[in-house]
Amino acid sequence: MANLKDIAQKAGVSVATVSKVLNGLGNISQETTEQILSIAKELNYRPNLYARNLKTRQSRTIGIITEDMTVFNAPPIIDGIGACCEKRGYHYLLENLRLNKLGISPVLDVNDHSVIVNEAVDFMMSMQVDGLIYLGCHSHKVLHLPSIGDTQFVCTYCSCTDSSVPSVLYDDKKAGYDVAKYLIKEGHTIIGVITGPAMSVHSINRLTGYQEALYDAGLRYNPKLTVCGDWSRDSGYSLAEQLLQSGVTAIFAQNDIMAMGVIDYCRQNNIEIGCDLALIGFDNREISTVCRPTLSTIEIPLFDIGHTSASILIDNIEGKPSELTGEIMLECSVIERESTNYRKKD
């Protein structure tokens, strides 16, 4: 591989001159600059980034530590991070902890989690990254954060017990409120809810928002119309019968997968979604557009979560502290499709 000395010899200039041209420094004539750049291209020169990083103490690279790449939220968030990096002239390195595949909970298995995170952070620091983004599988608190000195740090899709660390999430509570408000506006007053696991922060926040919307509309909350699922399609199927027997005209399934279970049950029992029953999910997963009827749902701003996280991190790296601090909540959107196209039968 060609180096600076090879280029200098062929151009008949000093190594220092070549270095200045390739790094965009110094007052070098246009003719000499073009000659050096042409020779560098001819010799297929590739800069030694490690050496440059050691010299400048800045790599223009950030590290992303994701809890599990197989979770639906990770790819679009990383895409948002990548888009921001591209715009700002940065690169990123990605480390996948594979927590879901390994069966490790960042909240319940703190010791195992801390070992894996420490190894990932050590690797990123050895690669001279300028900052780190920690990408969670869900909106939990990161209980363990290794010492990283002055390196900038941002949490995304989760938050940190250290309030000084910026965290970018979405507003679950507001989304739950918007779902109920939308269904009430469509004429529904008996609205069933299939939550996720009872201790899930997502379940709690979405249900709280739903309850507040009922209150604001002057409707009484009926706990019998709230049933607890486990995010699975089977739980949506099994709980649909219970809610329908209670006389609900609409169901809010707190994720799209459970909503698919409701569709399965209704199809098998000749209940027409969008006519006999309105149904809305959450997450705007790919399946929501290909099922029949298509599923109304809540879209989480995953790309924007990633882009915002990277923007905050890079601003902090460059000494331009972002005005966004603490927990930054981005708003979700209601996506209206066929499953809430409610029409009363004659």
Side-chain angles (χ1 to χ4, degrees), residues 85-340:
C85 286
E86 182 179 334
K87 182 178 179 181
R88 301 286 293 270
Y90 279 71
H91 295 278
Y92 66 85
L93 302 176
L94 177 64
E95 184 78 357
N96 182 20
L97 301 183
R98 301 181 62 250
L99 296 190
N100 276 19
K101 294 295 185 181
L102 296 174
I104 296 175
S105 165
V107 177
L108 301 178
D109 306 309
V110 178
N111 290 335
D112 291 337
H113 175 253
S114 64
V115 170
I116 293 177
V117 172
N118 281 340
E119 290 177 353
V121 169
D122 286 345
F123 166 73
M124 290 295 185
M125 299 304 288
S126 72
M127 301 301 288
Q128 304 293 315
V129 296
D130 296 327
L132 290 169
I133 293 177
Y134 185 90
L135 169 53
C137 289
H138 55 86
S139 297
H140 63 84
K141 290 282 186 182
V142 178
L143 302 177
H144 172 76
L145 177 62
S147 176
I148 53 176
D150 295 331
T151 303
Q152 299 294 332
F153 192 89
V154 173
C155 284
T156 187
Y157 211 82
C158 60
S159 57
C160 185
T161 51
D162 182 350
S163 60
S164 67
V165 174
S167 304
V168 184
L169 308 100
Y170 63 96
D171 196 338
D172 256 324
K173 183 179 174 182
K174 176 67 164 50
Y177 184 97
D178 289 345
V179 168
K181 182 179 178 181
Y182 166 72
L183 291 173
I184 293 167
K185 184 179 178 181
E186 292 297 305
H188 301 281
T189 58
I190 308 176
I191 304 169
V193 182
I194 303 177
T195 73
M199 297 306 293
S200 165
V201 65
H202 297 293
S203 301
I204 295 168
N205 288 338
R206 293 171 194 179
L207 181 61
T208 300
Y210 156 85
Q211 291 170 329
E212 290 187 0
L214 292 183
Y215 179 84
D216 288 348
L219 299 175
R220 181 175 296 179
Y221 171 66
N222 183 354
K224 293 182 179 180
L225 301 183
T226 298
V227 292
C228 186
D230 60 8
W231 303 129
S232 73
R233 189 165 185 157
D234 286 345
S235 71
Y237 180 93
S238 63
L239 294 170
E241 180 179 12
Q242 180 179 336
L243 288 176
L244 287 164
Q245 287 177 348
S246 298
V248 299
T249 63
I251 291 178
F252 168 28
Q254 287 191 351
N255 78 344
D256 291 343
I257 303 303
M258 292 191 298
M260 292 302 111
V262 175
I263 290 176
D264 293 339
Y265 177 85
C266 290
R267 181 177 294 117
Q268 291 185 11
N269 290 274
N270 297 316
I271 298 168
E272 188 177 352
I273 300 288
C275 182
D276 303 317
L277 176 75
L279 175 65
I280 187 167
F282 203 107
D283 294 335
N284 197 27
R285 304 282 287 270
E286 291 84 352
I287 197 171
S288 65
T289 61
V290 298
C291 65
R292 292 294 179 269
T294 55
L295 179 66
S296 295
T297 186
I298 290 291
E299 181 176 47
I300 303 171
L302 298 175
F303 180 92
D304 291 340
I305 287 173
H307 197 283
T308 301
S309 300
S311 181
I312 292 171
L313 182 65
I314 293 172
D315 281 347
N316 290 339
I317 289 170
E318 295 181 349
K320 301 176 290 187
S322 173
E323 295 180 359
L324 301 175
T325 59
E327 291 191 356
I328 298 100
M329 295 287 187
L330 304 187
E331 286 198 17
C332 300
S333 304
V334 176
I335 306 297
E336 184 178 3
R337 298 194 180 104
E338 295 169 349
S339 67
T340 53

